[in-house]
Amino acid sequence: MIIPKTLEEIELMRQSALLVSKTLGMIATELKPGVTTLELDAKAEEFIRDHGAVPGFKGLYGCPSTLLTSVNDQIVHGLPTDRPLEEGDIVSVDCGTVMNGFYGDHAYTFEIGDVDPATKKLLQITKESLYVGIREFRLGNRVEDVGSAIQRYCEKEGYTVVRELVGHGLGRKMHEDPEMPNYGKPGNGKRFVEGMVVAIEPMINLGTRNIKQLNDGWTIVTRDGKPSAHFEHDVALVNGKPELLSTYQYIYQALGITSNEEDEFRAKPLVL
Ligand code: MG
Ligand code: MG
C-alpha cells in the first residue's frame, strides 16, 4: 500500500535527504587514489551522527556499514573494504540516514582520477536516465512509465538494465510501496498519488544485465565483470509534479562541477 505524506512530512523527509546529500558532498572531497572505502565509511558515520541523525543502512537487514560502496563491476550493496581506491576506478556510494523518523536514501557514482571514456559515458547516460525517469513521476502516470523511460534511454546506448534490484517508496521505512523497477511497459503498474515519495535509482550495466552476489552475502556484481553505474534521488510528488528532495549540488561544489540539471525539478519551496 502506498503511504502518501503530508507537506509537513515531506519537509521532514527533505531534511533527511539533504543530510545524505551533504554526506555525499563530504565524501566527494575525500575521494582520491589510496583512500579505502572503509575509511570513507567511518567518516560518513561520524558526519551523520554529528548532524543529529543516525545511519539509515547500518543494522537494517543486518547491514554492517553506513555506506554501500560498489567499485567498478560491483553494481550495488558493495561492503566497504580496506582495498585502496585506484586511479581509473569508479565507485558508487549509496548512503542512508534516519532523521525526524524518516529515511533519506541517495547515491552517486564517482570517478577516481582519469576514467576510460566508455565508462565515463556509462556514468553520464545513467545519470541522465535518472532525470528522464523522474520526469515521468507525475500525477496521471503509473510506476512503469518511469521504468520504461529509463530503460529506453539506456538501451538505445546499448546498455542493459538490472532487473533484480529496483527503486522503492520511501518514508518511515526504507522500503515502502511501490517497487520502482528501472524497466517496464508504459501505462503499466500502480498509479501515482499526490504526496508519495520514492527513491528512483537506475542501475545500468555496460555489458550483460545478469548479476551475481559475492560470498560476503551483500555485494552484487555484473556477471561479465564489466562496469555498472548507479544514481539515486529521493523525489516527492507535489502538486502533481516531481519535486527533488535530494541534491547533487554538494557533490558538484566539492568537485568544481557546474550543472543546472536539477533546476527544472526544483519547484518553489513548499509553504507550510
Ligand atoms: Mg540507496
Ligand atoms: Mg534506494
Side-chain angles (χ1 to χ4, degrees):
M1 194 185 67
I2 294 172
I3 306 171
K5 278 73 184 174
T6 64
L7 289 180
E8 289 80 0
E9 288 172 326
I10 288 171
E11 281 310 306
L12 296 176
M13 291 195 70
R14 187 196 306 279
Q15 291 174 27
S16 193
L18 285 179
L19 179 56
V20 184
S21 301
K22 288 172 189 168
T23 307
L24 293 178
M26 180 277 293
I27 292 295
T29 66
E30 300 287 335
L31 278 170
K32 45 184 171 294
V35 170
T36 72
T37 45
L38 268 176
E39 290 164 351
L40 299 174
D41 187 61
K43 290 201 160 103
E45 178 167 2
E46 190 183 353
F47 187 86
I48 290 167
R49 292 192 190 280
D50 282 350
H51 285 77
V54 294
F57 299 162
K58 200 167 189 172
L60 189 69
Y61 312 121
C63 178
S65 56
T66 294
L67 300 180
L68 291 165
T69 52
S70 306
V71 180
N72 296 335
D73 64 330
Q74 298 177 353
I75 301 167
V76 286
H77 300 175
L79 294 184
T81 71
D82 59 5
R83 169 195 176 276
L85 291 171
E86 292 171 14
E87 177 92 14
D89 282 346
I90 55 170
V91 56
S92 158
V93 180
D94 196 349
C95 181
T97 53
V98 191
M99 195 178 193
N100 309 314
F102 286 99
Y103 279 90
D105 176 21
H106 173 42
Y108 190 90
T109 304
F110 294 92
E111 302 170 19
I112 308 298
D114 269 337
V115 168
D116 80 84
T119 304
K120 241 178 152 56
K121 189 176 172 198
L122 172 70
L123 301 193
Q124 181 201 324
I125 296 294
T126 303
K127 180 152 65 70
E128 288 172 6
S129 82
L130 170 60
Y131 294 104
V132 166
I134 291 171
R135 226 166 266 139
E136 299 301 319
F137 179 56
R138 50 189 153 80
L139 221 51
N141 271 0
R142 292 171 180 266
V143 161
E144 291 186 32
D145 289 314
V146 171
S148 59
I150 291 171
Q151 179 179 16
R152 253 195 329 273
Y153 195 80
C154 293
E155 287 185 347
K156 77 174 164 38
E157 300 291 338
Y159 303 147
T160 62
V161 177
V162 172
R163 299 296 200 277
E164 293 84 350
L165 299 138
V166 296
H168 49 93
L170 188 71
R172 293 190 183 278
K173 294 209 171 118
M174 170 70 79
H175 295 115
E176 293 187 354
D177 255 6
E179 289 195 342
M180 296 286 296
N182 298 300
Y183 58 91
K185 291 195 173 71
N188 268 20
K190 288 186 181 167
R191 213 178 264 287
F192 295 135
V193 298
E194 180 74 13
M196 68 187 291
V197 179
V198 292
I200 298 178
E201 47 178 319
M203 291 156 257
I204 306 298
N205 296 350
L206 189 60
T208 178
R209 70 176 171 84
N210 295 323
I211 66 166
K212 62 184 179 189
Q213 189 171 45
L214 297 187
N215 289 335
D216 62 15
W218 278 89
T219 311
I220 307 287
V221 301
T222 59
R223 216 163 238 292
D224 59 6
K226 291 187 178 167
S228 181
H230 178 218
F231 290 85
E232 176 177 28
H233 267 314
D234 299 339
V235 195
L237 208 145
V238 179
N239 295 327
K241 293 188 301 234
E243 181 166 320
L244 287 179
L245 302 182
S246 51
T247 176
Y248 289 144
Q249 287 309 315
Y250 298 99
I251 293 173
Y252 294 156
Q253 274 167 29
L255 300 180
I257 295 172
T258 308
S259 167
N260 59 1
E261 68 192 21
E262 296 176 358
D263 291 350
E264 63 185 284
F265 302 101
R266 293 227 171 269
K268 289 181 204 134
L270 294 173
V271 179
L272 299 182

